[in-house]
Amino acid sequence: MFTRIDHVGIACHNLEEKIALFEQTFELTVVAREINEAQGVKEAMLHIADGDGGGSYIQLLEPLGPDTPVGKFLAKRGEGVHHVAFGVTDVTEAMREIEGKGVRLLDEKPRHGSMGSSIAFLHPKDVGGMLTELVQAQTH
Ligand code: MC0
């Protein structure tokens, strides 16, 4: 079902500081930045490799406010890995297939994600405590 690890999302208080840290430490490059109001985040994608149907990235996430998913996560747990996102060929099909196995979806239909992707989240409590995201990369 999964084609690759699309990205690991890391929650942080200060996006610019963490971009500098990851660029300097791992020699990664920011390839996209976005403010996603619907998800309540300001984010940056740092490219790692190209893969089957899309690339793989580190995604740095700064909340737009305290009452957002990442804002609440930071208050509760502090900085660190917020979610892991897996590449899928067809996000709607993957959602239905996974839901059919009894896993709760956090999105009824796919939403807008980084770099034009279509995304959906799965409830962390149903998949071993890890907030899991499905990503269908934008096709050109
Ligand atoms: C909460 N929980 C987590 C978690 N967030 N577990 C693992 N990883 C996380 N990130 C756990 C809590 O500890 C709690 O467990 C239980 O889930 C319910 O959490 P809560 O604090 O009571 O509830 P909320 O209101 O904080 O909701 C959590 C939930 C929410 C995951 C449902 O954050 C959500 O809908 N997230 C999906 C959207 C999202 O995260 N967007 C931001 C990234 P206990 O044991 O204490 O009951 S957007 C993004 O990344 C886009 C831009 C992209 O990739 O392109």
Side-chain angles (χ1 to χ4, degrees):
M1 182 182 293
F2 294 156
T3 54
R4 68 191 185 285
I5 293 176
D6 183 280
H7 65 265
V8 175
I10 298 174
C12 63
H13 291 291
N14 185 316
L15 188 65
E16 299 310 321
E17 261 179 39
K18 286 297 178 298
I19 288 173
L21 175 72
F22 277 72
E23 282 183 336
Q24 284 159 23
T25 308
F26 302 124
E27 297 172 5
L28 298 174
T29 305
V30 173
V31 291
R33 284 172 181 262
E34 191 171 326
I35 292 175
N36 187 328
E37 299 274 357
Q39 296 284 357
V41 292
K42 183 160 93 167
E43 51 107 339
M45 297 293 269
L46 292 92
H47 179 255
I48 296 175
D50 292 315
D52 184 9
S56 62
Y57 307 87
I58 293 277
Q59 180 186 59
L60 299 175
L61 299 158
E62 181 188 311
L64 294 179
D67 198 19
T68 59
V70 175
K72 287 194 215 166
F73 178 91
L74 281 172
K76 211 167 173 177
R77 302 186 182 205
E79 293 187 317
V81 174
H82 176 261
H83 66 266
V84 177
F86 296 97
V88 294
T89 309
D90 182 325
V91 70
T92 308
E93 199 178 297
M95 287 166 78
R96 298 288 83 91
E97 205 175 316
I98 290 167
E99 190 178 34
K101 294 176 184 173
V103 171
R104 280 170 290 169
L105 306 177
L106 295 172
D107 300 294
E108 279 176 25
K109 52 185 173 60
R111 299 171 65 155
H112 165 76
S114 303
M115 303 189 299
S117 62
S118 294
I119 63 170
F121 284 91
L122 312 179
H123 201 293
K125 291 289 172 193
D126 293 351
V127 282
M130 179 177 80
L131 178 58
T132 301
E133 181 184 335
L134 309 174
V135 181
Q136 179 183 336
Q138 185 181 45
T139 46
H140 297 284

